[in-house]
Amino acid sequence: MSDEEFMAVALELAIKAGDMGEIPIGAVIVMGNEIIGRGHNLNRSLNDPTCHAEIIAIREAAGFLKNERLTGCRLYVTKEPCAMCAGAIVHARIEEVIIGAHDVRYGACGTVFNVCGNPKMNHRPVIRFGIMGDDASEMLKSFFREKRRSSTDCSH
C-alpha cells in the first residue's frame, strides 16, 4: 500500500471519531506493509485525556508485537501529534511519522514544539508532513465549524 492508502485508513478512523462527537483524528501504525495498530480519538467518550488516536494505535501495535518498542514501524496520523503523543512516539522508537495536517496550537513535531526532533532525545523519528493534509485539515475545520454552529443554535 502507498502512503496515501495508509493515510486514507487513518482518515476513515478520523471520520468514525467525528461521528462519535470526538475530535476527528485517526492513526494507524504500519510494519512493512501491514497495519498492526489503529486508533481514533476516544478521550471524550472514555473521559480519559490520554485516549488520543496515536496512543490507542501505539497500545494496539505494542500488544500485537508483544513489545513496547515499535522499531521499524511507521505511524500515519491525520493531525500533528501533541507533546504527550510525541513523547510516546519517541519512547516507542517509531521510525517514521507521516502527518496529514499541521497543528498550529499544540503540534509537537516541529510546528509549535519539537519533541520528536529534539537532538537531546535518544530517538528522533523521521517526520513527514502533507500526505492528504488538505483532506485532514478540512475535516477538522468542518468539525469545529459544526460545533460552533450547534453551540450557538438557540433552538431546542
Side-chain angles (χ1 to χ4, degrees):
M1 289 176 64
S2 69
D3 285 340
E4 288 76 14
E5 289 170 310
F6 286 123
M7 187 62 79
V9 174
L11 284 165
E12 289 171 17
L13 290 164
I15 290 167
K16 184 176 178 182
D19 289 346
M20 297 173 66
E22 298 281 353
I23 296 173
I25 299 172
V28 296
I29 295 182
V30 175
M31 177 173 252
N33 206 31
E34 180 184 0
I35 295 174
I36 62 167
R38 298 169 191 258
H40 60 76
N41 276 10
L42 285 171
N43 49 305
R44 292 177 177 177
S45 299
L46 298 178
N47 299 311
D48 183 343
T50 68
C51 286
H52 288 194
E54 302 94 322
I55 299 294
I56 294 167
I58 287 169
R59 287 176 181 157
E60 188 173 295
F64 177 83
L65 293 176
K66 296 182 179 15
N67 193 329
E68 78 275 16
R69 301 285 188 239
L70 302 180
T71 308
C73 292
R74 300 182 314 278
L75 167 67
Y76 292 82
V77 62
T78 58
K79 187 180 77 143
E80 183 176 3
C82 68
M84 174 184 69
C85 294
I89 290 164
V90 170
H91 284 288
R93 308 295 195 274
I94 292 173
E95 185 174 310
E96 187 173 13
V97 182
I98 299 93
I99 302 165
H102 287 268
D103 183 344
V104 298
R105 295 178 117 192
Y106 302 106
C109 293
T111 300
V112 179
F113 306 106
N114 197 12
V115 174
C116 283
N118 189 323
K120 292 182 180 183
M121 297 289 198
N122 63 340
H123 174 74
R124 289 181 297 284
V126 173
I127 305 293
R128 288 193 289 136
F129 279 95
I131 302 294
M132 300 181 79
D134 292 340
D135 296 325
S137 182
E138 185 50 43
M139 182 182 302
L140 288 160
K141 288 176 185 172
S142 189
F143 175 81
F144 286 111
R145 245 190 328 269
E146 184 56 37
K147 282 285 187 200
R148 283 190 298 276
R149 186 176 303 126
S150 65
S151 70
T152 59
D153 183 7
C154 294
S155 62
H156 296 272

